[in-house]
Amino acid sequence: YYETLDKKHTIQKFLFLGERIYYGYVPIGMLDVDLNRILTFNEVERARVGFGVHTNKKFSKRLRLGLFAGYGIEDERIKYGVDLNYILPDVFFGEYRGYFSHDLKESGSPFFMFDRYQYSTETLRRFRLKVLDMVTETGHGIYFHPLNNLDVGAEVNLSVHQPTYSYQYNSDKSSSFQFTELRQGLRYAIREKYYKIEDRKFSLGTSYPIFYLQLSQSLGGFAGKYPYQKIDLKIEENIKILRIGLSKIQFIAGVTSGSTPYMKLYNEKGSRKGTYFLIHNSFETMGYNEFLSDRYYSVFYTHSFGRIYYGHRNIQPSISMMHNAGVGWLSAPEKHTVMSFPFKTMEKGYYESGAMVENILVLGLGGLKTGFGIGFFYRYGPYSSLKGSENLVLKFALNFGI
């Protein structure tokens, strides 16, 4: 039916525009303007204004070029970058990517080559980051999708990190740290299903586990003086329980061996800074950069019981229960001197639990149904405070729908 329509071309143009806006772009001729680059926030820049563009298929069906630039209001520094993607001939099922950037990045954060967020709320954490490095980096990689359920890739990354915080590693008074890494990564989603519109594929998800594995090897003798190896693993699964609701689980772990400064370790992904929004798959009661590890594992568990009241369109409450736990070790804490903030190790185990009531009130704002919720988290175990009220954290929740 669609193929026989007289206005097929007009409909295609409308769908093309809608698709780009959904993914954060506005098409203007051969260019896609990146909406996410116009205004961003963090604790170092406070606010950043900028722009970003990429070429689209009107320019080339295989080659995609992009650039961005931005200016931090608080730190008064310019950030910029360029990238290139080239889709290889269909027989190879892959693409080449090259990039160069001078930008801020979170220090001590795990990296996965084919990362996808399990929850949309995970992106909120970046707005409160303060321990950031100014990173100048370039990389070249090849990435393949040989099977419907498998993505694999390899890249070489050269980077220079300049901490925006006061930091000294192993009595070295250097203000910058240079690394060269060979990275190999994969994403394997058991029985994941897709549907395809034009040239873009959309995941329908899977009821089986999704595996992420990343291997990073420092090439210490080539433009880098820190020899180390890293292994990062993440497993996610969504489990539907008949008449009880939906459970979502994430297991994440990492091991770093060798000579490793702060930025290549693990900050344990805390998200407590005053009263703030719920950030799934993070420790809600743990402060940002409160702990530091070179070996760790964490489990984040959320069970949603679903909607519990159907009486009014503006009142649609649903209840969720959460439990998070983790443990981490740091081999030589005396090598890391951080003047800006203290850090601890958590080899005794970290534990927290909480509950949220979401969509207590649902309002139509700007064409979207916006749901408001509230909840509490409590920190207990070896790293809890003797004063009970200091372990309790209030969190708000926002949900958006059409």
Side-chain angles (χ1 to χ4, degrees), residues 19-253:
E19 178 192 29
R20 290 298 186 271
I21 293 176
Y22 176 81
Y23 282 98
Y25 297 97
V26 172
I28 301 176
M30 294 187 296
L31 299 177
D32 289 341
V33 178
D34 190 345
L35 299 177
N36 297 317
R37 294 283 186 183
I38 296 174
L39 183 64
T40 59
F41 302 91
N42 58 62
E43 296 288 325
V44 172
E45 297 174 295
R46 297 299 178 185
R48 181 200 294 192
V49 293
F51 72 93
V53 294
H54 278 89
T55 60
N56 56 41
K57 292 212 166 181
K58 291 183 179 180
F59 172 79
S60 172
K61 291 185 177 181
R62 291 193 179 273
L63 180 64
R64 191 166 185 251
L65 305 173
L67 63 88
F68 76 89
Y71 179 78
I73 303 301
E74 180 70 19
D75 67 348
E76 300 181 341
R77 300 178 72 171
I78 296 174
K79 294 82 182 176
Y80 51 86
V82 295
D83 62 86
L84 178 153
N85 285 30
Y86 180 76
I87 300 176
L88 301 176
D90 295 342
V91 67
F92 294 105
F93 302 102
E95 65 178 304
Y96 159 81
R97 299 176 195 167
Y99 58 88
F100 170 83
S101 68
H102 179 72
D103 201 358
L104 290 170
K105 286 196 170 185
E106 182 181 5
S107 188
S109 177
F111 167 77
F112 292 95
M113 195 173 289
F114 299 98
D115 206 3
R116 300 182 191 178
Y117 289 121
Q118 190 178 24
Y119 293 92
S120 61
T121 59
E122 294 180 57
T123 62
L124 297 175
R125 188 174 175 273
R126 71 177 187 268
F127 296 124
R128 304 301 299 272
L129 295 175
K130 189 172 184 178
V131 181
L132 299 168
D133 296 329
M134 178 60 72
V135 181
T136 302
E137 66 176 340
T138 184
H140 303 272
I142 299 179
Y143 313 87
F144 297 98
H145 186 67
L147 304 172
N148 284 339
N149 309 119
L150 179 65
D151 293 288
V152 295
E155 68 175 40
V156 175
N157 175 275
L158 293 83
S159 64
V160 178
H161 292 242
Q162 294 179 304
T164 61
Y165 47 96
S166 178
Y167 173 68
Q168 184 175 306
Y169 174 66
N170 201 20
S171 302
D172 184 356
K173 297 183 179 180
S174 174
S175 60
S176 65
F177 301 84
Q178 188 166 330
F179 306 96
T180 301
E181 281 186 356
L182 172 63
R183 299 170 178 171
Q184 302 169 77
L186 65 83
R187 177 184 183 271
Y188 182 59
I190 301 174
R191 297 189 182 182
E192 185 175 35
K193 301 297 182 182
Y194 295 86
Y195 67 92
K196 187 174 181 180
I197 297 179
E198 297 295 335
D199 62 327
R200 191 182 293 274
K201 293 197 308 182
F202 299 85
S203 173
L204 292 172
T206 175
S207 57
Y208 294 87
I210 300 174
F211 296 87
Y212 297 85
L213 179 64
Q214 179 96 359
L215 307 177
S216 302
Q217 172 67 55
S218 169
L219 305 178
F222 180 76
K225 62 179 182 179
Y226 304 102
Y228 60 88
Q229 304 81 36
K230 297 184 70 173
I231 302 176
D232 293 288
L233 172 68
K234 183 168 68 171
I235 304 173
E236 297 176 343
E237 186 170 7
N238 302 335
I239 304 173
K240 290 184 179 180
I241 304 174
L242 184 63
R243 297 185 179 180
I244 297 179
L246 175 66
S247 288
K248 292 190 176 185
I249 305 171
Q250 181 187 97
F251 172 83
I252 186 169

